[in-house]
Amino acid sequence: MSQRREVSWSNLPEELLYPIAHRLETRLDILHFRAVCKEWRNSVSLTLLSNKNILSTVLPHKLATTNPPLLRGGASTRMEEFQEYVNDNPVILIASSIFLIKPKFNPKLPPWLITVEEMNSGKFVVRKPLSRSPVGKMPENFPKMLDLSDFEVEEMGRVYSLRYDVEPYHLFEEHHKVLLLGDFDCKIRVSIEDYTAVVLYDSGVLAAINLKNEVVKEAFFKGRKFDDIVVFEGIIYLIDRYGRLYLMDNSDDKLKIVTVVDEALHKGTERKSRIFESCGELYLVRKCLVSRPSLTRKRMGVRVYKLNREKNMWDELDSIGDDRILFVTPDCCFFARVTDFTGWEGNRIVLDDKLSFPSYCHTKSLEHSWEYYDLFVERDADEKISLEVFHFEDCVFEPVKTNRDYSVVFWPPPKWISSNTRSLKRLKSDESEDRCGIRWI
């Protein structure tokens, strides 16, 4: 039998590369395509990048209905003064991503974990580390444009949220969560009308809005309130405030749920739990009292569970693995490789105490609507890092700001970003190269 001849990817003929590139939907996909090698970069015209969004082909999307029914029942909209402020402003559905960026010229340097959202097509707003609040002001030496082909870029998570279309684009609710479900029917071209947005309110109520006609389906499940939702194997799963797991049936006019894990995981806590998918497994994570053989008494910590699909129950993990780090953000949870983080050890969980596991009653003590506005919309004027790293085996929390190996990953942006002369020279010498990178607002 004759041996198969190996052919380098860079030797693919242009008549194949051209149609492949034209099937790519987002600017980020095209940038990844161009970053493979010089031949691939030269095969794609810069004009292909025009009119392309970075994160999503259909977002950002402005809802046609001002103050649509989707927003009724949310914590912020119950406050009349706040509601008057935003009542006449449209709502925008936006995409956000968490990227791990590493320099190609020296992969041993600490990476940069950055959260961005695309409020306007082709332009990013940078969020504060693992939060939903935008950065007030970028450092003066930060380049206005980055050529992503200069870096290794890995998307760690893609999430969606709703903001009011009024600067500085306030969230309509602090802890809401949005998932998109598509009905494509083998379509070649997909539009926003092919999607349904499923929204979990801060209050724990669930609703779905058809983005074609903006008709809303609300769900009432005998007073049950939900902590979190996630798409797993194309189906939306939910957990209630006792850790019970359900899947959502969206086939009829009304939302229905089917019980998956009926046994309560706990008696109820003051903080919300989180669920997420990773490598074909479903996980639950919550902050609560934990016990360890090495501890003389229970201590506040983080527990992680994996769904046992054969027994329909949650199995608690005694480790998340020495090769992994778990990040718990307000929008999503994800595992990362410890080898990507210089100076870090595995079996660690990164979180923000208030944002990652929000309290059920975080607005109850506020007497006036503008107290809510001040606390949850315009808070954190500085760029201080409030993240913590939980040492799973020792049940110890360590502030990120006290450990340089941790803090350099988040803020301020690393020096190798600002000193990337290749990107800066391109920006000055050839304006057409702007379309190869991303700009910041």
Side-chain angles (χ1 to χ4, degrees):
M1 181 180 294
S2 60
Q3 293 185 347
R4 300 178 62 180
R5 183 169 63 91
E6 293 185 1
V7 179
S8 172
W9 285 102
S10 61
N11 293 331
L12 286 177
E14 187 173 342
E15 55 265 27
L16 288 180
L17 293 175
Y18 184 79
I20 292 174
H22 276 260
R23 287 181 178 270
L24 301 176
E25 296 183 340
T26 68
R27 188 182 306 190
L28 192 60
D29 292 335
I30 298 173
L31 290 171
H32 285 155
F33 180 94
R34 289 171 55 86
V36 171
C37 61
K38 182 178 180 180
E39 287 74 14
W40 285 37
R41 184 182 183 90
N42 293 336
S43 69
V44 179
S45 171
L46 294 176
T47 57
L48 188 61
L49 286 165
S50 61
N51 301 320
K52 292 280 189 179
N53 292 351
I54 299 177
L55 300 182
S56 170
T57 57
V58 296
L59 302 179
H61 169 70
K62 183 182 294 187
L63 298 183
T65 307
T66 301
N67 186 27
L70 175 68
L71 302 184
R72 295 175 185 168
S76 61
T77 57
R78 288 197 301 266
M79 302 175 183
E80 294 181 0
E81 295 177 18
F82 189 90
Q83 181 59 30
E84 290 177 1
Y85 171 74
V86 297
N87 191 49
D88 296 326
N89 292 295
V91 176
I92 304 176
L93 177 61
I94 63 170
S96 304
S97 286
I98 301 172
F99 291 115
L100 185 66
I101 304 178
K102 296 184 290 186
K104 287 185 176 179
F105 62 88
N106 188 352
K108 293 184 179 181
L109 287 174
W112 187 28
L113 194 64
I114 177 177
T115 306
V116 297
E117 60 186 37
E118 190 173 11
M119 280 296 306
N120 298 297
S121 180
K123 294 183 179 180
F124 278 164
V125 174
V126 181
R127 290 185 183 177
K128 296 172 185 176
L130 302 185
S131 90
R132 288 183 164 189
S133 301
V135 170
K137 185 178 181 181
M138 296 296 289
E140 293 183 358
N141 62 343
F142 192 83
K144 295 181 179 179
M145 189 277 291
L146 289 181
D147 185 347
L148 295 185
S149 62
D150 290 342
F151 311 102
E152 291 184 12
V153 181
E154 181 177 358
E155 188 177 41
M156 310 301 291
R158 172 80 58 84
V159 295
Y160 309 98
S161 59
L162 291 162
R163 287 190 181 273
Y164 288 113
D165 185 22
V166 54
E167 293 186 1
Y169 305 111
H170 307 315
L171 285 166
F172 91 92
E173 203 173 76
E174 178 72 2
H175 296 294
H176 78 284
K177 189 169 183 178
V178 181
L179 299 179
L180 290 184
L181 291 182
D183 183 13
F184 308 135
D185 292 329
C186 300
K187 292 182 178 180
I188 298 177
R189 295 291 182 183
V190 177
S191 70
I192 191 65
E193 295 183 353
D194 299 311
Y195 287 92
T196 295
V198 180
V199 181
L200 179 64
Y201 294 114
D202 192 4
S203 59
V205 177
L206 193 70
I209 179 170
N210 186 322
L211 296 178
K212 181 178 182 179
N213 51 28
E214 299 191 4
V215 172
V216 175
K217 293 190 292 185
E218 295 187 67
F220 299 94
F221 305 118
K222 297 180 180 179
R224 291 178 181 172
K225 304 292 185 179
F226 299 103
D227 279 5
D228 202 4
I229 54 176
V230 68
V231 176
F232 178 52
E233 297 181 344
I235 301 173
I236 288 185
Y237 283 78
L238 317 89
I239 53 168
D240 67 11
R241 297 189 172 182
Y242 299 94
R244 291 181 291 231
L245 180 68
Y246 311 86
L247 61 83
M248 191 185 79
D249 182 356
N250 189 35
S251 58
D252 298 328
D253 293 336
K254 294 184 179 180
L255 300 180
K256 301 178 182 178
I257 60 171
V258 178
T259 303
V260 179
V261 176
D262 191 33
E263 184 179 357
L265 188 65
H266 51 82
K267 296 182 180 180
T269 64
E270 296 181 355
R271 293 175 177 268
K272 296 182 179 181
S273 301
R274 310 296 303 280
I275 52 173
F276 66 101
E277 183 273 338
S278 180
C279 299
E281 302 286 353
L282 194 61
Y283 295 86
L284 182 149
V285 57
R286 66 190 186 101
K287 188 172 183 180
C288 57
L289 290 175
V290 301
S291 59
R292 295 278 191 274
S294 59
L295 301 178
T296 57
R297 58 184 177 85
K298 288 187 177 181
R299 182 184 299 176
M300 182 60 66
V302 179
R303 288 183 171 180
V304 182
Y305 305 81
K306 185 168 70 172
L307 177 64
N308 186 324
R309 303 173 76 172
E310 294 182 356
K311 298 181 179 181
N312 288 336
M313 61 180 295
W314 293 110
D315 291 338
E316 184 172 1
L317 303 182
D318 56 10
S319 170
I320 62 172
D322 292 334
D323 59 339
R324 298 194 298 184
I325 303 168
L326 175 60
F327 290 82
V328 183
T329 84
D331 297 300
C332 65
C333 306
F334 59 90
F335 285 113
R337 298 177 297 270
V338 69
T339 52
D340 286 332
F341 295 83
T342 304
W344 289 50
E345 295 182 5
N347 207 22
R348 301 287 189 266
I349 301 177
V350 183
L351 58 103
D352 184 299
D353 179 52
K354 294 182 179 179
L355 299 180
S356 300
F357 302 99
S359 169
Y360 290 124
C361 55
H362 67 279
T363 61
K364 287 185 178 179
S365 62
L366 304 180
E367 296 181 359
H368 304 288
S369 61
W370 289 106
E371 291 183 21
Y372 174 91
Y373 178 84
D374 292 338
L375 182 59
F376 294 110
V377 179
E378 287 194 333
R379 68 180 184 190
D380 298 335
D382 56 30
E383 315 301 345
K384 293 181 180 179
I385 300 176
S386 59
L387 301 175
E388 297 176 303
V389 175
F390 177 66
H391 297 231
F392 200 95
E393 68 281 6
D394 300 326
C395 197
V396 173
F397 289 92
E398 181 181 1
V400 163
K401 60 184 178 182
T402 63
N403 187 318
R404 188 180 183 280
D405 287 334
Y406 295 154
S407 61
V408 294
V409 172
F410 301 102
W411 198 262
K415 293 182 179 179
W416 49 261
I417 285 282
S418 302
S419 61
N420 191 309
T421 56
R422 184 180 174 192
S423 285
L424 294 175
K425 287 180 179 179
R426 282 183 180 160
L427 179 62
K428 295 178 181 178
S429 63
D430 188 354
E431 289 299 324
S432 66
E433 284 291 314
D434 286 0
R435 289 176 288 181
C436 292
I438 56 175
R439 285 189 172 275
W440 316 90
I441 297 178

